[in-house]
Amino acid sequence: MGLDGTYGQRAAEQAQVAVPPQRGVAPFDLTAWVNAPRPELAPGVWRLNHRQRTEADREAAAVPAGPLLWRAALNALVAWFAYLYGVELVFWVAGLLDLLDGLGQATSVIALLVVNGLVLTVVIRVFGRMGRWPEVWRRWVAPLLARTVTQEQPSEDAEPAGPTDPWAALRQGGAAEAARLLDGRPVGDVDYVRIQRAWETVRQDPALLPAFTEQVAARGPAACAHPSEARDLTGRGPGHDLLTRQVRLGAAQDVVKNPQTHRATGFALDPALLGTSLLAVGPAGTGKTAGLARPLAEALCLQALAGTACAVVLGSAEADLGPDDWYDVVIAPGDPSSPYGLDLFGAAVEVEQAAARLADALLPDELAPRGEAARAALQQTVGPFHAAYGRYPGVRELRALLGGAAAAWQTLRQTLDDNGLLAAHEADLQHRERQHGRADDPGTLLADRLALLDRPAFAGHFPGDGPGRPAFAMRALDHPLRVRVKLPERGHPEAARMLSRLLAGQFVQAAAARTERALFAGLVVDDASAAVDAQVIRGLQGMRGANAGAVLLLRTLVDLPEALRTALFGAVGCRMAFPGIAPWDGKLFSEAWGTHLVRETAVTHTPDTSGGMFRKAGRGLRKALSGTAAQTESVTVRDVERHRWSPSDLAHALPSGHAVISLASVTGDQVPPLLVDLRG
């Protein structure tokens, strides 16, 4: 798929291009990978080569093998002696009672067998139960016998099922020649998924079949390549399965707090879960970036190369979110070597909508009450400018207009008049001119905030102020793009906060307005403390049906205004807590995850006063000799409600390298909080 989202427009051009050298495609057994089992499982479980946990596995986890085998062997030894002496005891008693006198030989043999059988049954039942022989049979003996029978007596009737042909869909759908050309060629997982997706497009429009076959003939496994011609990522991790679109992040622990379906299983995320958005909270150094943000950014970039996703990754220039060659567009405002700039109005086609988003991004949290007036002021300025010049204003032009520069307004009015558009925008112009110079003019406030972007370090990074870099606009989410934005948090922290808020708002705005929703649009924000505002939270709620989602990382919820914290928890479907979070942060997680019924056992000891004189005298003697009084024990069992994870547990009991995460999918499936080892 090309950047224009269509296969056919690029097919003719690519057919004439020689096959490029493979970039980063390692030796790969395609047939084994395609035929690996991927059973349908609960959300969050790693599906590739998953082995269903059996009862024997659960028993093995509950009782270690060493003590179990030792106990079974000891009971077997005792049972053998009990059996021998038991039979002798029965016949000795029978001899004392003269029960064997007068019996014939046949009757004696029958009596011997019956006695042996009865004694053996009693011994097996008694010592087998104490030695847990049935458990030993299920865990070791039965599987060993099953393997032995299978190896020694192979089935003569059943033919062993061979691996499924990876290109069976092409052969059966009329592209047998393309499948033949791909046979035996080194095809990676990205190549396979990308070609299969192109084949789905051909099935929907059979007229593209000749172009598809021509592509495969000319380029082989590189057919229908991503516009970057990349077919893999350098230094990619192993935990990716592009057929299920899962990325493995660790292992769910085998603990009572985890549901049975997720104990001792691989833990993975996919677009069905990310489509509800994910909020992760944890202090610095707990592994949020390395254990969550980077693997998810890598997964989205791989899926973009396969033509199934687009990725926007925000973070500081120092954040380890993958090398630059993972991305098609790298934007680094303030860095002279940055190859791309940023369109400040790139989220919406409608002028007023784009201006409103920029106004929200320019104002800090403490100035949010003035947001409505600021949006109106920016719309009344950008609208006439766009009508006059057919483009959006640059930072310096917009700052001059908002600041009330007379020359800038005179030039704008004259241009509108020359184009016959002055009457349509006269009301906006007059309103803004009346506001100039007043103490409560929102335009002055916006101009002051824009001054943070009108710096020599940012020259050429934003379009409209003369020649500069090609600018990325968020409207491009219809294409399988990989975008990395490096925010200048060290040199220009307040400008970085504004850009973070602007880009997050543009993403949720553009994702909901996309026409091509076959691609999953993913946003990863390494530090979302400045990116989250009321507009973004409202946008998150609307992305579930737009095949898009956001991953927001926070050090603490205190970084957000108090009014936004509960709203953010309600807007996201997946919530993740890392070790060391503050108790007040843990309280929100605990309340969001709710309570469940726990069976609680209470044991009460009371002095024993029952019985007559002799029993009381015996208890008195025992107390005199041992120093302890006789007591009675009463046991009460009841079901009580307890928090799944209490704030104290989240703040103090989580081990390093772990996290607790609850999941929700776009289809409505819910998974209660899981304790996950992100190092597994």
Side-chain angles (χ1 to χ4, degrees), residues 487-518:
L487 301 173
E489 291 186 356
R490 286 191 176 179
H492 306 274
E494 190 58 31
R497 292 176 61 85
M498 285 195 302
L499 294 175
S500 177
R501 192 158 49 241
L502 174 66
L503 288 167
Q506 286 185 349
F507 178 88
V508 297
Q509 196 175 60
R514 289 185 305 160
T515 57
E516 177 59 48
R517 294 189 174 183

PDB file of all heavy atoms in Angstrom, residues 487-518:
ATOM      1  N   LEU A 487      10.274  16.162  21.197  1.00  0.00           N
ATOM      2  CA  LEU A 487       9.921  17.432  21.818  1.00  0.00           C
ATOM      3  C   LEU A 487      11.132  18.043  22.513  1.00  0.00           C
ATOM      4  O   LEU A 487      11.881  17.335  23.193  1.00  0.00           O
ATOM      5  CB  LEU A 487       8.789  17.213  22.825  1.00  0.00           C
ATOM      6  CG  LEU A 487       7.505  16.629  22.225  1.00  0.00           C
ATOM      7  CD1 LEU A 487       6.524  16.286  23.320  1.00  0.00           C
ATOM      8  CD2 LEU A 487       6.883  17.610  21.236  1.00  0.00           C
ATOM      9  N   PRO A 488      11.325  19.358  22.388  1.00  0.00           N
ATOM     10  CA  PRO A 488      12.504  20.015  22.986  1.00  0.00           C
ATOM     11  C   PRO A 488      12.300  20.304  24.468  1.00  0.00           C
ATOM     12  O   PRO A 488      12.258  21.466  24.904  1.00  0.00           O
ATOM     13  CB  PRO A 488      12.617  21.302  22.165  1.00  0.00           C
ATOM     14  CG  PRO A 488      11.202  21.621  21.793  1.00  0.00           C
ATOM     15  CD  PRO A 488      10.509  20.299  21.594  1.00  0.00           C
ATOM     16  N   GLU A 489      12.200  19.266  25.289  1.00  0.00           N
ATOM     17  CA  GLU A 489      11.863  19.453  26.697  1.00  0.00           C
ATOM     18  C   GLU A 489      12.992  20.102  27.485  1.00  0.00           C
ATOM     19  O   GLU A 489      12.735  20.771  28.486  1.00  0.00           O
ATOM     20  CB  GLU A 489      11.481  18.103  27.317  1.00  0.00           C
ATOM     21  CG  GLU A 489      10.169  17.548  26.786  1.00  0.00           C
ATOM     22  CD  GLU A 489       9.743  16.292  27.514  1.00  0.00           C
ATOM     23  OE1 GLU A 489      10.510  15.808  28.373  1.00  0.00           O
ATOM     24  OE2 GLU A 489       8.650  15.778  27.213  1.00  0.00           O
ATOM     25  N   ARG A 490      14.231  19.909  27.078  1.00  0.00           N
ATOM     26  CA  ARG A 490      15.345  20.495  27.829  1.00  0.00           C
ATOM     27  C   ARG A 490      15.536  21.972  27.513  1.00  0.00           C
ATOM     28  O   ARG A 490      15.600  22.809  28.405  1.00  0.00           O
ATOM     29  CB  ARG A 490      16.632  19.728  27.533  1.00  0.00           C
ATOM     30  CG  ARG A 490      16.683  18.364  28.208  1.00  0.00           C
ATOM     31  CD  ARG A 490      18.076  17.760  28.102  1.00  0.00           C
ATOM     32  NE  ARG A 490      18.176  16.494  28.819  1.00  0.00           N
ATOM     33  CZ  ARG A 490      19.263  15.754  28.876  1.00  0.00           C
ATOM     34  NH1 ARG A 490      20.369  16.161  28.240  1.00  0.00           N
ATOM     35  NH2 ARG A 490      19.280  14.619  29.554  1.00  0.00           N
ATOM     36  N   GLY A 491      15.626  22.304  26.250  1.00  0.00           N
ATOM     37  CA  GLY A 491      15.901  23.686  25.879  1.00  0.00           C
ATOM     38  C   GLY A 491      14.689  24.587  25.921  1.00  0.00           C
ATOM     39  O   GLY A 491      14.803  25.781  26.235  1.00  0.00           O
ATOM     40  N   HIS A 492      13.498  24.059  25.619  1.00  0.00           N
ATOM     41  CA  HIS A 492      12.285  24.880  25.541  1.00  0.00           C
ATOM     42  C   HIS A 492      11.130  24.099  26.171  1.00  0.00           C
ATOM     43  O   HIS A 492      10.238  23.604  25.471  1.00  0.00           O
ATOM     44  CB  HIS A 492      11.967  25.228  24.084  1.00  0.00           C
ATOM     45  CG  HIS A 492      13.105  25.883  23.350  1.00  0.00           C
ATOM     46  ND1 HIS A 492      13.337  27.232  23.382  1.00  0.00           N
ATOM     47  CD2 HIS A 492      14.095  25.348  22.580  1.00  0.00           C
ATOM     48  CE1 HIS A 492      14.410  27.521  22.665  1.00  0.00           C
ATOM     49  NE2 HIS A 492      14.893  26.388  22.160  1.00  0.00           N
ATOM     50  N   PRO A 493      11.116  23.956  27.488  1.00  0.00           N
ATOM     51  CA  PRO A 493      10.120  23.088  28.130  1.00  0.00           C
ATOM     52  C   PRO A 493       8.681  23.535  27.919  1.00  0.00           C
ATOM     53  O   PRO A 493       7.798  22.712  27.694  1.00  0.00           O
ATOM     54  CB  PRO A 493      10.516  23.130  29.611  1.00  0.00           C
ATOM     55  CG  PRO A 493      11.347  24.358  29.759  1.00  0.00           C
ATOM     56  CD  PRO A 493      12.040  24.555  28.459  1.00  0.00           C
ATOM     57  N   GLU A 494       8.413  24.850  27.980  1.00  0.00           N
ATOM     58  CA  GLU A 494       7.023  25.295  27.828  1.00  0.00           C
ATOM     59  C   GLU A 494       6.566  25.140  26.386  1.00  0.00           C
ATOM     60  O   GLU A 494       5.401  24.787  26.125  1.00  0.00           O
ATOM     61  CB  GLU A 494       6.891  26.759  28.271  1.00  0.00           C
ATOM     62  CG  GLU A 494       5.460  27.230  28.387  1.00  0.00           C
ATOM     63  CD  GLU A 494       4.632  26.398  29.362  1.00  0.00           C
ATOM     64  OE1 GLU A 494       5.205  25.871  30.342  1.00  0.00           O
ATOM     65  OE2 GLU A 494       3.411  26.265  29.146  1.00  0.00           O
ATOM     66  N   ALA A 495       7.453  25.374  25.432  1.00  0.00           N
ATOM     67  CA  ALA A 495       7.096  25.122  24.025  1.00  0.00           C
ATOM     68  C   ALA A 495       6.832  23.638  23.798  1.00  0.00           C
ATOM     69  O   ALA A 495       5.924  23.262  23.051  1.00  0.00           O
ATOM     70  CB  ALA A 495       8.224  25.608  23.114  1.00  0.00           C
ATOM     71  N   ALA A 496       7.620  22.771  24.445  1.00  0.00           N
ATOM     72  CA  ALA A 496       7.393  21.326  24.319  1.00  0.00           C
ATOM     73  C   ALA A 496       6.027  20.941  24.865  1.00  0.00           C
ATOM     74  O   ALA A 496       5.333  20.089  24.302  1.00  0.00           O
ATOM     75  CB  ALA A 496       8.496  20.563  25.061  1.00  0.00           C
ATOM     76  N   ARG A 497       5.609  21.566  25.964  1.00  0.00           N
ATOM     77  CA  ARG A 497       4.289  21.273  26.521  1.00  0.00           C
ATOM     78  C   ARG A 497       3.184  21.686  25.554  1.00  0.00           C
ATOM     79  O   ARG A 497       2.200  20.965  25.361  1.00  0.00           O
ATOM     80  CB  ARG A 497       4.118  21.994  27.864  1.00  0.00           C
ATOM     81  CG  ARG A 497       5.005  21.452  28.975  1.00  0.00           C
ATOM     82  CD  ARG A 497       4.861  22.268  30.253  1.00  0.00           C
ATOM     83  NE  ARG A 497       3.497  22.230  30.755  1.00  0.00           N
ATOM     84  CZ  ARG A 497       3.009  21.272  31.525  1.00  0.00           C
ATOM     85  NH1 ARG A 497       3.787  20.268  31.890  1.00  0.00           N
ATOM     86  NH2 ARG A 497       1.764  21.316  31.953  1.00  0.00           N
ATOM     87  N   MET A 498       3.341  22.844  24.934  1.00  0.00           N
ATOM     88  CA  MET A 498       2.330  23.300  23.976  1.00  0.00           C
ATOM     89  C   MET A 498       2.250  22.362  22.780  1.00  0.00           C
ATOM     90  O   MET A 498       1.158  21.998  22.324  1.00  0.00           O
ATOM     91  CB  MET A 498       2.651  24.722  23.512  1.00  0.00           C
ATOM     92  CG  MET A 498       2.347  25.783  24.545  1.00  0.00           C
ATOM     93  SD  MET A 498       2.315  27.457  23.865  1.00  0.00           S
ATOM     94  CE  MET A 498       3.956  27.583  23.180  1.00  0.00           C
ATOM     95  N   LEU A 499       3.405  21.964  22.252  1.00  0.00           N
ATOM     96  CA  LEU A 499       3.403  21.083  21.084  1.00  0.00           C
ATOM     97  C   LEU A 499       2.840  19.710  21.433  1.00  0.00           C
ATOM     98  O   LEU A 499       2.135  19.093  20.630  1.00  0.00           O
ATOM     99  CB  LEU A 499       4.828  20.954  20.540  1.00  0.00           C
ATOM    100  CG  LEU A 499       5.427  22.230  19.951  1.00  0.00           C
ATOM    101  CD1 LEU A 499       6.876  22.000  19.553  1.00  0.00           C
ATOM    102  CD2 LEU A 499       4.615  22.688  18.745  1.00  0.00           C
ATOM    103  N   SER A 500       3.139  19.216  22.628  1.00  0.00           N
ATOM    104  CA  SER A 500       2.584  17.931  23.045  1.00  0.00           C
ATOM    105  C   SER A 500       1.066  17.989  23.113  1.00  0.00           C
ATOM    106  O   SER A 500       0.365  17.092  22.625  1.00  0.00           O
ATOM    107  CB  SER A 500       3.165  17.542  24.407  1.00  0.00           C
ATOM    108  OG  SER A 500       2.596  16.342  24.875  1.00  0.00           O
ATOM    109  N   ARG A 501       0.542  19.060  23.711  1.00  0.00           N
ATOM    110  CA  ARG A 501      -0.908  19.223  23.802  1.00  0.00           C
ATOM    111  C   ARG A 501      -1.530  19.392  22.415  1.00  0.00           C
ATOM    112  O   ARG A 501      -2.603  18.843  22.127  1.00  0.00           O
ATOM    113  CB  ARG A 501      -1.210  20.422  24.693  1.00  0.00           C
ATOM    114  CG  ARG A 501      -2.645  20.566  25.108  1.00  0.00           C
ATOM    115  CD  ARG A 501      -2.785  21.411  26.368  1.00  0.00           C
ATOM    116  NE  ARG A 501      -2.044  22.667  26.293  1.00  0.00           N
ATOM    117  CZ  ARG A 501      -1.054  22.991  27.129  1.00  0.00           C
ATOM    118  NH1 ARG A 501      -0.670  22.166  28.079  1.00  0.00           N
ATOM    119  NH2 ARG A 501      -0.433  24.153  27.024  1.00  0.00           N
ATOM    120  N   LEU A 502      -0.843  20.131  21.542  1.00  0.00           N
ATOM    121  CA  LEU A 502      -1.361  20.354  20.192  1.00  0.00           C
ATOM    122  C   LEU A 502      -1.417  19.051  19.405  1.00  0.00           C
ATOM    123  O   LEU A 502      -2.436  18.732  18.773  1.00  0.00           O
ATOM    124  CB  LEU A 502      -0.475  21.368  19.470  1.00  0.00           C
ATOM    125  CG  LEU A 502      -0.804  21.604  17.988  1.00  0.00           C
ATOM    126  CD1 LEU A 502      -2.167  22.245  17.841  1.00  0.00           C
ATOM    127  CD2 LEU A 502       0.273  22.461  17.325  1.00  0.00           C
ATOM    128  N   LEU A 503      -0.343  18.266  19.437  1.00  0.00           N
ATOM    129  CA  LEU A 503      -0.288  17.045  18.637  1.00  0.00           C
ATOM    130  C   LEU A 503      -1.261  15.990  19.153  1.00  0.00           C
ATOM    131  O   LEU A 503      -1.893  15.283  18.355  1.00  0.00           O
ATOM    132  CB  LEU A 503       1.142  16.505  18.635  1.00  0.00           C
ATOM    133  CG  LEU A 503       2.126  17.334  17.816  1.00  0.00           C
ATOM    134  CD1 LEU A 503       3.556  16.929  18.126  1.00  0.00           C
ATOM    135  CD2 LEU A 503       1.846  17.193  16.333  1.00  0.00           C
ATOM    136  N   ALA A 504      -1.381  15.858  20.471  1.00  0.00           N
ATOM    137  CA  ALA A 504      -2.350  14.893  20.999  1.00  0.00           C
ATOM    138  C   ALA A 504      -3.767  15.287  20.597  1.00  0.00           C
ATOM    139  O   ALA A 504      -4.577  14.436  20.208  1.00  0.00           O
ATOM    140  CB  ALA A 504      -2.227  14.806  22.515  1.00  0.00           C
ATOM    141  N   GLY A 505      -4.075  16.581  20.692  1.00  0.00           N
ATOM    142  CA  GLY A 505      -5.404  17.032  20.275  1.00  0.00           C
ATOM    143  C   GLY A 505      -5.639  16.844  18.790  1.00  0.00           C
ATOM    144  O   GLY A 505      -6.732  16.461  18.362  1.00  0.00           O
ATOM    145  N   GLN A 506      -4.626  17.134  17.977  1.00  0.00           N
ATOM    146  CA  GLN A 506      -4.764  16.930  16.534  1.00  0.00           C
ATOM    147  C   GLN A 506      -4.972  15.457  16.202  1.00  0.00           C
ATOM    148  O   GLN A 506      -5.744  15.108  15.306  1.00  0.00           O
ATOM    149  CB  GLN A 506      -3.523  17.456  15.812  1.00  0.00           C
ATOM    150  CG  GLN A 506      -3.433  18.963  15.744  1.00  0.00           C
ATOM    151  CD  GLN A 506      -2.251  19.421  14.903  1.00  0.00           C
ATOM    152  OE1 GLN A 506      -1.389  18.629  14.539  1.00  0.00           O
ATOM    153  NE2 GLN A 506      -2.204  20.708  14.597  1.00  0.00           N
ATOM    154  N   PHE A 507      -4.284  14.570  16.937  1.00  0.00           N
ATOM    155  CA  PHE A 507      -4.420  13.141  16.645  1.00  0.00           C
ATOM    156  C   PHE A 507      -5.852  12.666  16.884  1.00  0.00           C
ATOM    157  O   PHE A 507      -6.436  12.000  16.025  1.00  0.00           O
ATOM    158  CB  PHE A 507      -3.448  12.336  17.505  1.00  0.00           C
ATOM    159  CG  PHE A 507      -3.565  10.851  17.290  1.00  0.00           C
ATOM    160  CD1 PHE A 507      -2.826  10.227  16.298  1.00  0.00           C
ATOM    161  CD2 PHE A 507      -4.422  10.078  18.063  1.00  0.00           C
ATOM    162  CE1 PHE A 507      -2.941   8.868  16.083  1.00  0.00           C
ATOM    163  CE2 PHE A 507      -4.541   8.718  17.850  1.00  0.00           C
ATOM    164  CZ  PHE A 507      -3.802   8.114  16.865  1.00  0.00           C
ATOM    165  N   VAL A 508      -6.406  12.962  18.052  1.00  0.00           N
ATOM    166  CA  VAL A 508      -7.758  12.469  18.327  1.00  0.00           C
ATOM    167  C   VAL A 508      -8.757  13.101  17.370  1.00  0.00           C
ATOM    168  O   VAL A 508      -9.759  12.478  16.995  1.00  0.00           O
ATOM    169  CB  VAL A 508      -8.149  12.734  19.794  1.00  0.00           C
ATOM    170  CG1 VAL A 508      -7.227  11.984  20.738  1.00  0.00           C
ATOM    171  CG2 VAL A 508      -8.132  14.215  20.127  1.00  0.00           C
ATOM    172  N   GLN A 509      -8.485  14.324  16.950  1.00  0.00           N
ATOM    173  CA  GLN A 509      -9.359  15.001  16.002  1.00  0.00           C
ATOM    174  C   GLN A 509      -9.268  14.354  14.624  1.00  0.00           C
ATOM    175  O   GLN A 509     -10.290  14.053  13.989  1.00  0.00           O
ATOM    176  CB  GLN A 509      -8.958  16.475  15.932  1.00  0.00           C
ATOM    177  CG  GLN A 509      -9.978  17.402  15.298  1.00  0.00           C
ATOM    178  CD  GLN A 509      -9.515  18.843  15.386  1.00  0.00           C
ATOM    179  OE1 GLN A 509      -8.453  19.192  14.865  1.00  0.00           O
ATOM    180  NE2 GLN A 509     -10.282  19.680  16.049  1.00  0.00           N
ATOM    181  N   ALA A 510      -8.040  14.102  14.165  1.00  0.00           N
ATOM    182  CA  ALA A 510      -7.851  13.530  12.831  1.00  0.00           C
ATOM    183  C   ALA A 510      -8.248  12.063  12.781  1.00  0.00           C
ATOM    184  O   ALA A 510      -8.773  11.585  11.771  1.00  0.00           O
ATOM    185  CB  ALA A 510      -6.390  13.693  12.409  1.00  0.00           C
ATOM    186  N   ALA A 511      -8.007  11.307  13.866  1.00  0.00           N
ATOM    187  CA  ALA A 511      -8.356   9.883  13.866  1.00  0.00           C
ATOM    188  C   ALA A 511      -9.852   9.675  13.736  1.00  0.00           C
ATOM    189  O   ALA A 511     -10.308   8.751  13.048  1.00  0.00           O
ATOM    190  CB  ALA A 511      -7.836   9.229  15.148  1.00  0.00           C
ATOM    191  N   ALA A 512     -10.628  10.530  14.385  1.00  0.00           N
ATOM    192  CA  ALA A 512     -12.079  10.385  14.303  1.00  0.00           C
ATOM    193  C   ALA A 512     -12.622  10.828  12.960  1.00  0.00           C
ATOM    194  O   ALA A 512     -13.692  10.369  12.543  1.00  0.00           O
ATOM    195  CB  ALA A 512     -12.738  11.186  15.422  1.00  0.00           C
ATOM    196  N   ALA A 513     -11.892  11.700  12.248  1.00  0.00           N
ATOM    197  CA  ALA A 513     -12.378  12.223  10.970  1.00  0.00           C
ATOM    198  C   ALA A 513     -11.851  11.457   9.769  1.00  0.00           C
ATOM    199  O   ALA A 513     -12.142  11.824   8.628  1.00  0.00           O
ATOM    200  CB  ALA A 513     -11.975  13.697  10.843  1.00  0.00           C
ATOM    201  N   ARG A 514     -11.110  10.367   9.992  1.00  0.00           N
ATOM    202  CA  ARG A 514     -10.516   9.633   8.868  1.00  0.00           C
ATOM    203  C   ARG A 514     -11.596   8.984   7.998  1.00  0.00           C
ATOM    204  O   ARG A 514     -12.643   8.569   8.487  1.00  0.00           O
ATOM    205  CB  ARG A 514      -9.587   8.531   9.372  1.00  0.00           C
ATOM    206  CG  ARG A 514      -8.305   9.015   9.982  1.00  0.00           C
ATOM    207  CD  ARG A 514      -7.431   7.825  10.322  1.00  0.00           C
ATOM    208  NE  ARG A 514      -8.113   6.870  11.189  1.00  0.00           N
ATOM    209  CZ  ARG A 514      -7.756   5.595  11.341  1.00  0.00           C
ATOM    210  NH1 ARG A 514      -6.714   5.139  10.669  1.00  0.00           N
ATOM    211  NH2 ARG A 514      -8.413   4.805  12.160  1.00  0.00           N
ATOM    212  N   THR A 515     -11.290   8.866   6.726  1.00  0.00           N
ATOM    213  CA  THR A 515     -12.148   8.106   5.814  1.00  0.00           C
ATOM    214  C   THR A 515     -11.642   6.684   5.641  1.00  0.00           C
ATOM    215  O   THR A 515     -12.416   5.759   5.425  1.00  0.00           O
ATOM    216  CB  THR A 515     -12.209   8.795   4.442  1.00  0.00           C
ATOM    217  OG1 THR A 515     -10.871   8.939   3.928  1.00  0.00           O
ATOM    218  CG2 THR A 515     -12.843  10.164   4.563  1.00  0.00           C
ATOM    219  N   GLU A 516     -10.323   6.475   5.752  1.00  0.00           N
ATOM    220  CA  GLU A 516      -9.711   5.148   5.622  1.00  0.00           C
ATOM    221  C   GLU A 516      -9.477   4.582   7.018  1.00  0.00           C
ATOM    222  O   GLU A 516      -8.439   4.808   7.632  1.00  0.00           O
ATOM    223  CB  GLU A 516      -8.390   5.248   4.851  1.00  0.00           C
ATOM    224  CG  GLU A 516      -7.636   3.937   4.710  1.00  0.00           C
ATOM    225  CD  GLU A 516      -8.435   2.868   3.990  1.00  0.00           C
ATOM    226  OE1 GLU A 516      -8.998   3.177   2.917  1.00  0.00           O
ATOM    227  OE2 GLU A 516      -8.522   1.742   4.501  1.00  0.00           O
ATOM    228  N   ARG A 517     -10.472   3.844   7.517  1.00  0.00           N
ATOM    229  CA  ARG A 517     -10.375   3.318   8.877  1.00  0.00           C
ATOM    230  C   ARG A 517      -9.921   1.875   8.920  1.00  0.00           C
ATOM    231  O   ARG A 517      -9.960   1.251   9.971  1.00  0.00           O
ATOM    232  CB  ARG A 517     -11.729   3.458   9.586  1.00  0.00           C
ATOM    233  CG  ARG A 517     -12.125   4.908   9.819  1.00  0.00           C
ATOM    234  CD  ARG A 517     -13.338   5.029  10.709  1.00  0.00           C
ATOM    235  NE  ARG A 517     -13.627   6.428  11.033  1.00  0.00           N
ATOM    236  CZ  ARG A 517     -14.603   6.820  11.841  1.00  0.00           C
ATOM    237  NH1 ARG A 517     -15.385   5.909  12.410  1.00  0.00           N
ATOM    238  NH2 ARG A 517     -14.794   8.102  12.079  1.00  0.00           N
ATOM    239  N   ALA A 518      -9.491   1.334   7.788  1.00  0.00           N
ATOM    240  CA  ALA A 518      -8.948  -0.023   7.808  1.00  0.00           C
ATOM    241  C   ALA A 518      -7.613  -0.063   8.531  1.00  0.00           C
ATOM    242  O   ALA A 518      -7.235  -1.095   9.088  1.00  0.00           O
ATOM    243  CB  ALA A 518      -8.793  -0.550   6.378  1.00  0.00           C
TER     244      ALA A 518
END
